[in-house]
Structures are given as C-alpha cells and as structure tokens.
Amino acid sequence: MATSRRPDQPSVVPNNPIPSSSPAFGTPVHPIPPRRVAPIHAPPALRPAAKSTVLPILLPPATLRPLAFRTFTKKHNLTLTSSALQTLARFIGKQCGSGWREEGLAERVLEEVAKSWKKCSSQVIVEGDGDTLNNILKTLEGTMVGGRIVQGSSLSRQGSFNFSPDSNSLDINVSNIRPSLEHQTSFGISSLEVEEKEEEKDLLKDPREWLKVIDAFEQPKLVYSVSQKHFEKSTTNPSFFPNPAHKTDLYRQRYHIVHQRILRNETFQMPTFSAARSASLNRTGSIALLGMNTITPIANLLGRSGTTHLLLGMLTISPTGALSLSDLTGAIALDLQRARPIPENGAYFTPGMIVLVDGFYKEDYGNPTAGSNSTLGGTGGIGGTIGGKFIGFSVGHPPCERRSTTLGGDEAHRNSLAGPAFGWTDFLGVGSERATGAKMSRIASKILPPTEAHNVVIASDLHLDVPSTLSALRTLLRTYIPDPNISHPVYPHAIILIGNFSSKASLTGVPGAGSIEYKENFDALASILSDFPQLLAHTSLIFVPGDNDAWPSAFSGGAGTPLPRKAVPSLFTNRIRRIVAEANREVWGAGKKSGKEGEVIWTSNPSRISWFGVKGELAILRDDVMGRLHRTAIRFGNPDKENEDGELPDAVPRDDAQQESMDVDAPAPAANGQEEQLDPDTQTARALTRTLLSQSHFSPFPLSVRPLHWDFAHTLNLYPLPTSVVLADSEAPAFVVKYCGCTVMNPGPIDESGGRGSREGRAKWVEYDIRTGVGVMRCEG
C-alpha cells in the first residue's frame, strides 16, 4: 500500500542516483540533464582566431591598374592583359574587401600571384583566359583569412603550398597548378626543372635529347602590340580559311616589327642629356639633332613641298603601274631615277620589302594629269594616296638587329641596366632567354665538350628519281661511319635532308611522277639507309619537303605552293620508319641504353630546330628566293652627281654593314681605299643574306609573287634573328656566310656529278657545329 507524504516532510534520496523503470536494463525514466561545467578561459595567445568576415566590394580594374603595374611590370617584368586585370580585380574585391588599399592587402596578393606565375609559366604575358591564373587564385584563396594570407594555416587547399619558417613568401608547387601546361614539352620555366641529379643521368648526357624540331603549324603566334610595345599571344587560333582582314594584319605586323626594331637603333634615338644636343637649322627649316635620324610618316608630307625627309615604308606597285611607297598613314609615288642603293650591288630591292628612302617631297599643285591632289582619302594606301611624288636620293634596308640585342644572352646585356628588348618573351615555346638562358648555357657546356665535333649535316635537292643523287647520298652517309677501332665513336646529331624529293612535280599526271613512282622513290631511299644501321641508331633524320612533293604538288603543278606547307604524308614514308626501327633493335637491342635511339622526323617547310632551349635556333626554308629576287628586283640608274646642293642630304640611312663586315673572316679593306674585289658567287651570297636578314622575313614579296597562308605567315619571320639559317635555294650558289652573328648556309644540290670532269657519286653538303656556330662546305666523292 503506498504511503502518502506531507508537503513539509523532507524527501528521501535513493542510493541509486539514476532511477530506472527497469532494473534489469537500467533505462532511466527521464533523460539525464546535461551537466553544466564552468568554462575554462584559455590565454589569448592560445585562443582560436575567429574568422573575420570580409564584405566583398566591386573593385574596378582601372582603380587596381596602377598598383598592378608597379607589382607586375616594374618589379617582376611581367605584362598584364585586360582579362587578367579584370580577374585580379574581381578576386581582390571579393577576398580583401574595402581594406585592399588602406591595409595593403591587395599588394600582398599581387606579389604572391606574380611570383607564382613566374614559377608556373615561361610566358611574360599574364593572361586571364587560361587555367594557369585561375588555378593560382584558387590555391591562394585557401590560405587567406580575413583578406590576409596566413602562413601555416591548415586549410584544405594549402596542399600545393610549401611554407618555410624563415621566409615571408609562399613557395607554390608548380606541378599542382598548371594542368593546362602538361602538354608542353618546351624547355621553359613551365617544364624545365633540371636538378643536378637530372643532369647526371645518362639519358640527358646525349645532346640529341636537347634538340627539338618545331613544326611551322605548332609554332606559337605572337602579335606585336603597339600600345604595350610588347609581343602578345594571339587570341585567335590560326586557320587556313581566315577572315579577309587577316591579310592586312600580315603586312601590318611586318611593318610594326621592323619599325620598333629601327627605333631601338642608336642612329634613330634621341640623346638623353643636354650636353650632347647640338641643334642646327637644316634645309627643311626644322631643328635636327646631330647624329640622329627621324622617320617622317607619309601623311605628314602634306604642305611641306621641297623639304627633305626620311621615310620608312613598303615598296608597292600602284594600280596605275607606278612604283610607290606605303606606310600605315598613306602612300606616295616614288621617283628613284636619281637614287642610289645602299650598299651598291650589295642588296636587292623588290616590291613587298620595307625600306628606308631619303629624299625630298615635291607637291603637285592641282595638276589634272596627276590623278589626285594633296589630300588623303583616295585609293592606294591605308590612309589614302598623297598627291605629288617623293624624289629619292638613296634607298637602303633597315639596319639588322643582333640576336643578343633582342633577347640578351651575353654578359654585356646581362649587366646592362636597359637589358635586352624581349628577354622574357618566349617566341618558339622553348623558354625565354632571361628565364632559362643561364641554366641552358651551363648544361650545354657540360654536355658539349670542346674536344668533339657536334655537327648537324645539311643536304638539299635530294632527287630520289635520279640515280646519281642516290649515289651522292651514299657517299654522304659513308663519310660519317666511324672507325670500328675507336672506343668512343662520334656521330652527327642530325642529318637534315631537304627536298625536292622528286625532280618533277609529282602527282600531276606527268609520266613517271605518279603516286606509285613517288612511293617507290622513298622505298629506294629506305634500301640505301638500311646499309647504315649504326648511323641510323645514333642520329636523327629530318626531312623537309619542297614544292614538287606531295600533296601540294598535286594541284600546283610544280609552281610555288602557299607557305608554310605540311610534311610529306606518312603514306609514302612508312618503310623508312620501319628501317629506322629495325636499326634501333639491331644496335640497341633490349638492354640498357646509354643514349637516345635513332629517330626519323618529317617536318614542315619552313621549320625550326632548337637546341638547349633558347640557346640555339636553326631556321630552315626550301624555296627559290634568288629567282624571285632577280625577276622582281628594282633596277637603279646612274644617279645624277650634279645635284643642286652638290651632295646628298645629311639624313642618309646608315647601313649596318658599314660598322661590321658581312663575313667575320673577310679581309680588311685595302689601304689605298679601293673596294674589295669579290667573285660573283660571294657577292650574290652576301646580297641575298643581307636582304633577308634586314627584312626579318623569309619571303619579303607580295602574295602574288609568293603566296602565303595569312594566319601562318608569322612562321616565316626572322625576328629575333636565329642563330643560323638554312636557305635551300637551287638557283643560288652554295655558300656559308655570317652576318650580324647569324650563320646563313645554302648547301646547294647534293649531286655534284653533273659538273665537268666530275664522276658519279660526288656529293656536296654543309656541316654545321652547334657548339661553335661555324658552318663548313663539304664535297666528297
């Protein structure tokens, strides 16, 4: 019976503090209330920092531009595109908020982004459209707390950061940031991380591992920006069916490249201190500084009749058939009856070339037979045709610029305050000179010993349908078979065989030049190569086609096909690939290899070969340039020596060859002042070399003379000046000439058996040493 308890009677506390409704299972009747414990106050230094809230703002890119310019351009020599600036402004406005300026948060973010970009990419231009910048910002976002970059934070995204205790900067692991650069095989910052251990590997001790063949259709396209005064990556992909406006861009880019190169020449630079200023009043009525030439735009000739000027423009043929000069401001008719070329008999001048013309302007005051008055807006030029004519006194090519001046690479430019013009620019996708040049030079000095020859063999006009050519090729290959008694034989690093591979245009219906005969010719070449397995297993065979090779010859009939053109199709070359593979199995076997296996590469025309990144570059072109120069060159008459002033004007364009010899081995001028007597072949070789290198282009002709693919015309640029140039021209004499530090070579036809007194099997080719940069003509048999 239950007992009742009075209200004032004290309650009895049971022994078990947890009352249970089931003693067997000990389940409580009511849930246990949570136990309240007094909070433990930790010291302020050990308390977890509360993540401060940042109020995002909309930061205009123009407001961030001055700070970004100081950080990226002045401090790290980087160039920001508009898309990259917008991306950074959006990121800083979101992560840093209103304290981006007062608290210096944006400067710290920009500093880390610039350092990370230089580790992740060899490009000097920071682009916001790619994945590289976005990945850097995503990684950086994981280490930011309250708009500040916190070191040592244990956030989930910090796995790509390496924090050093004694450093205030972040070291970002490049391999986790650049997924878009994994396909790049260049030796730039993005893929060149050569440690000392890597250099000691046997594989990297072979110089052939550092040679790279760059196809014309794989070469990056860089566009010169006049506003930024720098090269930027093209925003559009090249196409075989481009927009018609790209035809104009082709010539505009050529003009910009030559113009910015001229303005850096000391002859056209303004003195920077007043002590050197010597002002004088010339015949034009304007102030001219002594020792300085000023280029006048063609549009500025209006109203200045009778004054002398120095013009830079492209030689063109007007619709009326007259010779004219055109630049980005207009065009004007040229009168070169009294002009003399500089140097005389030392260069070619044809329509399509960009030249310097010195003379005076003669305005046509309302002559109805002239066709137009002195007004712009007509036809014939971008800005229109200017009435009157420009009477030239002298015509010269723009001065050439050395490779070291453009990219650096020598001690003089490394220690210079101004530095090279484009030292951080990667023109070929193999790295820039400032980023990888010093390291590549150290590696090259270790791998290329001076006691050995490091040759590249170059032969052209390999007509496989001519039996004497095959005999000459056998003579060439036999020359490079080393003595079997030598313990350490030396093989050429590469053998470059340049077309045409057929003496007649193939696949055009000509008897004996069909597809079956064309393939049989390469099969005959494969049978000859099979006799030299040791040579095939230790060298690289590189084939460059010509105009008579498939497939373009099928519709061109042997005429000039548009450049660049693709390689010979693999349909005709499979047997040669099998021969090289069999030679590798025979020589190397399945054991451990102490070097690189032999390979065969079919590349485009033109193409380039680089070694040790940006340290060396060989540009190759198969084209009959000399014939086009002879057919389209301008002929100059004898200038009238009795001018009204008795002498040429002061603003005569300086010729670069006046300061340095065309050939480094050329003898000094005679003491009596007489000119050096040269044989016709040497004079022709020097004129051809001077013309192409001064124009910085392989094909300085109109598209009607030499057709080009508009979007791929940049692959024919010779800027910056390559280390060496191979101009396989069957109509020019064989030569090796050095000009402005660039070795220009024309091997000529390989078959020498056609000459008088020569026997079958006599071959001619060029040996080029990549270590010394010296080319030598070889003739054997």
Side-chain angles (χ1 to χ4, degrees), residues 42 73 137 178 187 270 323 411 413 514:
T73 304
L137 296 180
R178 46 174 190 175
F187 301 127
M270 179 82 68
L323 184 65
E411 295 297 333
H413 287 89

Side-chain angles (χ1 to χ4, degrees), residues 588-599:
W588 297 105
K592 182 179 180 181
K593 302 177 179 58
S594 59
K596 184 179 180 180
E597 293 183 347
E599 61 180 351

